[in-house]
Structures are given as C-alpha cells and as structure tokens.
C-alpha cells in the first residue's frame, strides 16, 4: 500500500509541471481508494479561461456538460463552499432531501455513472475547488479505511491543484503560452539543487551587463541592498511561491524584472520537500517614459477594464497623483480611488507597486 501511495505522490507532483500526467495520478488514487470516477477540479464562472479539470475513469463528456449546463444550478456548490477547507465530505454532508427530489444535478450524475461521493472542498478565493471520488456502484459508500486513505491524499491534491492554478493564472495574466519558441525575449535559467541545469542565450546576454551574477544555486546582484530582495524571492520560490522582483541598476537606469518559481515540486515520505529545481526568468527594460498608450490598451483588453479604469491606471503609471487627476477630470477623489481599486481587482493585484511591475512585464512582451 505504501508503495502505491508513494507512486501517487510522485505522479501528482510531477503533474504540476506536466498536466497530462494528472490522469495517471488520479488512476493510482482511484485504485488505492477502490473507487470509480475521480475528479480534481477548479472553476470560477467569472474567469472560465482559468478552469482546471483533471479526471480519471470518467466519461470526458461529463465535465463540459456539467460546467456549461449544471454548475450554476447545483445547490451542493454552496454547501461545499461553506464546509471547512480540505475536510472530508460525503453525500450526506452536501445533499438535501429536497434537492434529491427537485434538482436536475441528480439526473445527470447517474447518467455518467457517478454514484456515492466522497470529496473535499478545495475552494480558494472565488475559484471553486473540488477533489472527489465516486463509489463503484450505487449504495456502496466508503469504508473507514477508504476514508482514511482519501484524507491522506487531500493535502497533496490541494497543493498540486493550486500550484498548477497559480502557474496557469500567471501565464494568462502575462500573456505567456507553453509553446513559446526558443528565441524568447527574456532570459531563462533553470538551476538543479547544486548546479545550473540550463540557460538560454538571452540570459547570457543579460549577465554580460554585470549587474546580475550567476551562482550554482541561483543569481545574485552586485548591489548588496537589492541582492537581499533576490535572496528573499528565492526562499519564497523554493517553498511554492511565485515572487516577482523589480531591480534597478542606478548606473544605467536599466530595470530588471525577475520572476522565480519552482517548476518541479518533489514529494517524499508524504510531505513536500524544499524544491530541487529553481527557474529564474529575467526581463530587461530601459528607463523610458511610462504609460505607453499601446501597453495601456493591451492591459485594458486583457483584463477587460472600463474606460474610466483604464484612464486612472494610465494616470498612476504616469506618476500623477490621484488628487490632481480627480481635479482635472472634475470628479470626486473617492470616485477615482474606487475606479483604481476596481482596476487592480480585475488585474488580480492589490497595490500600485504591483501595477508598475505588471506594466513592465507587458512592455517586455510587447510584439
């Protein structure tokens, strides 16, 4: 049993880097649980492009039909939302007698051979999250041993799902794609535990500037004060964070936007160890005027900003005070603040500092 569980751990964390491996991990989990269809899923109707759906032993037609036609009608969603995070749930916890009689979801599930359920609430923020498994036949239920095994899987399914979600969200926000060609506009270095795993030509060019320096376990900065930011970011990345660091070379006015992440979490003995790999993405911009209209337009299109929201972020990026902007527009300062807050929310950030960082990223990938 331990051998099979270790295989599940290896597969679920490998799948973070290679999502096509999620099915194999879930097949292993289904075998261990002696169950049938198994589902790892996160969805937000407001951001459908960020949906993640991984399953095994389920009809592939189930999820599209469920998400499109049933998700908003499924009364169980609200009950799952309100349940404690990562606590084991069964049908008795999420269904009601009235719902069984009246809700269309209970006509859909048998159609796809989904019977007694055991699952958990993996919701974070506004993204509904679910990890669940169906019994083999109606009325089978789950034994105490099956429940204990499922509970031991929950923290690993949670980490894998939400790490993958953060990676996908970041890729969408930065307009990145998995099939970026080798001739990338940014430097990319991948470090293994005590060595350099790979480095692309653009990274070598950036290092020639002398501001950033290459070490066997990461990069450092010639400016001691700014180097501390890199050290803190690296620690964050190695435990699952996705830090972005903005450094400026005062001699040249060049800005270095550096993103770090762990592309391959490693599991051992049922716990997540310090990462064995570290990826460093470096984007360089010159000290030119901010608030390029083309970049503002692109930001507005990607995040669906209103005209008022677009105008206020243009003002912020042009280093104008909100008070001056409000006076020029003949609107209340409180209104301008609300417009800015709304814009930042749509972009998934919460500070003007992060807005400047996001702007630099979009400018780096222009064209």
């Amino acid at each position: 049993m331990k051998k099979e569980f270790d295989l599940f751990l290896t597969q679920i964390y490998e799948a973070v880097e290679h999502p096509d491996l999620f099915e194999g991990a879930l097949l292993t989990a289904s075998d261990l649980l002696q169950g049938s269809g198994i589902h790892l899923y996160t969805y937000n109707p407001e951001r459908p492009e960020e949906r993640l759906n991984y399953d095994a032993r389920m009809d592939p037609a189930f999820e599209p039909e469920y998400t499109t036609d049933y998700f908003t009608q499924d009364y169980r969603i609200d009950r799952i939302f309100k349940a404690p995070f990562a606590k084991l749930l069964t049908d008795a916890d999420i269904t009601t007698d009235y719902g069984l009689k009246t809700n269309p979801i209970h006509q859909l599930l048998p159609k796809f051979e989904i019977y007694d359920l055991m699952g958990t609430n993996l919701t974070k923020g506004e993204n509904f999250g679910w990890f669940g498994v169906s019994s083999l036949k109606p009325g089978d239920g789950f034994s105490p041993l099956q429940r204990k095994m499922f509970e031991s899987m929950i923290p690993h399914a949670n980490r894998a799902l939400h790490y993958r979600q953060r990676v996908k969200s970041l890729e969408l926000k930065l307009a990145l794609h998995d099939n970026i060609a080798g001739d990338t506009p940014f430097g990319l270095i991948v470090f293994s535990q005590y060595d350099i795993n790979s480095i692309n030509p653009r990274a070598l060019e950036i290092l020639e500037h002398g501001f950033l320096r290459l070490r066997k376990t990461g990069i450092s900065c010639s400016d001691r004060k700014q180097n501390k930011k890199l050290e803190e970011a690296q620690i964050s990345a190695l435990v699952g964070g996705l830090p972005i660091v903005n450094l400026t070379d005062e001699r040249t006015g060049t800005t270095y936007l550096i993103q770090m992440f762990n592309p391959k979490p490693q599991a051992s003995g049922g716990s997540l160890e310090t990462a064995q790999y570290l990826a460093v993405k470096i984007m360089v911009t010159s000290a030119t005027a901010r608030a390029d209209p083309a970049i503002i337009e692109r930001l507005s299109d990607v995040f669906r900003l209103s005209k008022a929201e677009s105008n206020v972020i243009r003002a912020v990026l042009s280093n104008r005070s909100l008070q001056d902007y409000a006076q020029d527009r003949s609107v209340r300062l409180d209104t301008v603040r609300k417009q800015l807050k709304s814009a930042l929310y749509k972009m998934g950030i919460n500070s003007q500092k992060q807005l400047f960082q996001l702007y630099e990223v979009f400018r780096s990938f222009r064209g």
Side-chain angles (χ1 to χ4, degrees):
M1 188 73 72
K2 184 180 185 303
K3 184 178 179 181
E4 288 80 4
F5 190 79
D6 286 344
L7 174 61
F8 163 72
L9 289 179
T10 300
Q11 291 174 322
I12 198 75
Y13 288 119
E14 288 282 341
V16 173
E17 183 182 3
H18 303 288
D20 56 319
L21 299 181
F22 269 108
E23 183 178 7
L26 294 177
L27 280 171
T28 301
S30 180
D31 288 341
L32 282 164
L33 296 167
Q34 299 176 17
S36 180
I38 187 165
H39 200 192
L40 187 59
Y41 175 70
T42 179
Y43 178 64
N44 180 352
E46 298 298 321
R47 298 179 182 175
E49 71 280 1
E50 294 186 11
R51 174 187 61 86
L52 293 180
N53 175 65
Y54 305 114
D55 59 55
R57 296 199 172 111
M58 293 180 67
D59 186 328
F62 167 74
E63 188 276 330
E65 182 173 346
Y66 171 75
T67 299
T68 303
D69 300 331
Y70 291 88
F71 182 87
T72 56
Q73 303 179 55
D74 190 348
Y75 72 98
R76 303 172 308 163
I77 298 297
D78 186 56
R79 297 174 71 87
I80 294 170
F81 262 126
K82 293 177 180 178
F85 184 81
K87 178 186 176 183
L88 188 147
L89 302 170
T90 64
D91 281 311
D93 299 307
I94 60 176
T95 60
T96 65
D97 290 339
Y98 182 76
L100 284 168
K101 294 176 182 177
T102 62
N103 197 277
I105 188 64
H106 295 293
Q107 300 170 20
L108 176 74
L109 299 180
K111 170 184 171 183
F112 288 99
E113 299 181 340
I114 298 173
Y115 305 120
D116 298 351
L117 288 176
M118 175 171 61
T120 189
N121 171 28
L122 295 184
T123 299
K124 285 196 174 180
E126 296 183 355
N127 289 328
F128 170 76
W130 170 255
F131 176 44
V133 61
S134 166
S135 64
L136 288 169
K137 295 181 295 184
D140 276 0
F142 295 94
S143 69
L145 182 61
Q146 288 171 306
R147 293 185 180 209
K148 185 176 180 181
M149 177 63 70
F150 183 75
E151 286 179 328
S152 67
M153 293 178 178
I154 289 174
H156 305 289
N158 172 48
R159 291 190 190 106
L161 178 67
H162 289 107
Y163 190 94
R164 185 64 206 164
Q165 182 76 75
R166 292 200 303 271
V167 171
K168 183 171 182 178
S169 297
L170 187 64
E171 288 173 347
L172 289 169
K173 288 178 181 177
L174 306 187
L176 299 179
H177 302 280
D178 291 334
N179 61 347
I180 291 176
D183 185 20
T184 56
F186 53 82
L188 182 63
I189 311 170
V190 178
F191 299 89
S192 57
Q193 192 169 15
Y194 298 110
D195 205 354
I196 299 167
N197 186 280
S198 64
I199 181 168
N200 72 350
R202 179 57 180 148
L204 291 172
E205 292 177 9
I206 293 171
L207 291 169
E208 288 179 359
H209 298 173
F211 183 68
L212 298 177
R213 296 170 180 173
L214 190 62
R215 297 182 290 109
K216 284 190 175 182
T217 56
I219 60 171
S220 62
C221 177
S222 59
D223 184 310
R224 184 176 299 179
K225 184 177 180 180
Q226 297 196 67
N227 188 59
K228 188 174 181 180
K229 296 181 184 179
L230 287 177
E231 293 174 347
E232 292 172 349
Q234 181 165 312
I235 292 171
S236 172
L238 290 176
V239 294
L242 289 169
I244 295 179
V245 181
N246 197 343
L247 305 179
T248 301
D249 185 349
E250 300 295 343
R251 301 169 303 167
T252 63
T254 303
T255 296
Y256 295 80
L257 196 65
I258 302 166
Q259 176 203 342
M260 297 186 186
F261 58 98
N262 165 21
K264 192 174 183 181
Q266 300 293 305
S268 174
S271 61
L272 189 64
E273 293 185 340
T274 300
Q276 303 298 305
Y277 292 82
L278 176 71
V280 178
K281 187 180 296 182
I282 311 170
M283 292 152 277
V284 180
T285 60
S286 300
T288 55
R290 297 189 186 276
D292 182 324
I295 307 301
I296 299 297
E297 182 177 356
R298 186 176 171 201
L299 275 167
S300 300
D301 289 343
V302 169
F303 297 108
R304 300 175 184 175
L305 304 183
S306 68
K307 186 174 181 180
E309 292 165 345
S310 179
N311 286 337
V312 76
I313 67 165
R314 185 196 305 270
V316 171
L317 290 168
S318 299
N319 292 311
R320 295 187 62 192
S321 73
L322 293 182
Q323 185 171 359
D324 289 345
Y325 174 76
Q327 289 177 348
D328 289 346
R329 292 274 172 172
S330 298
V331 296
R332 292 166 54 91
L333 178 59
D334 185 56
T335 299
V336 172
R337 286 174 174 161
K338 288 179 180 178
Q339 291 168 348
L340 177 59
K341 183 178 180 180
S342 174
L344 295 180
Y345 175 80
K346 287 182 179 180
M347 289 186 282
I349 56 181
N350 53 30
S351 69
Q352 293 187 27
K353 177 181 178 181
Q354 290 177 326
L355 173 59
F356 279 99
Q357 291 176 341
L358 189 59
Y359 174 86
E360 294 290 358
V361 170
F362 269 68
R363 188 164 64 176
S364 297
F365 285 95
R366 184 179 182 183

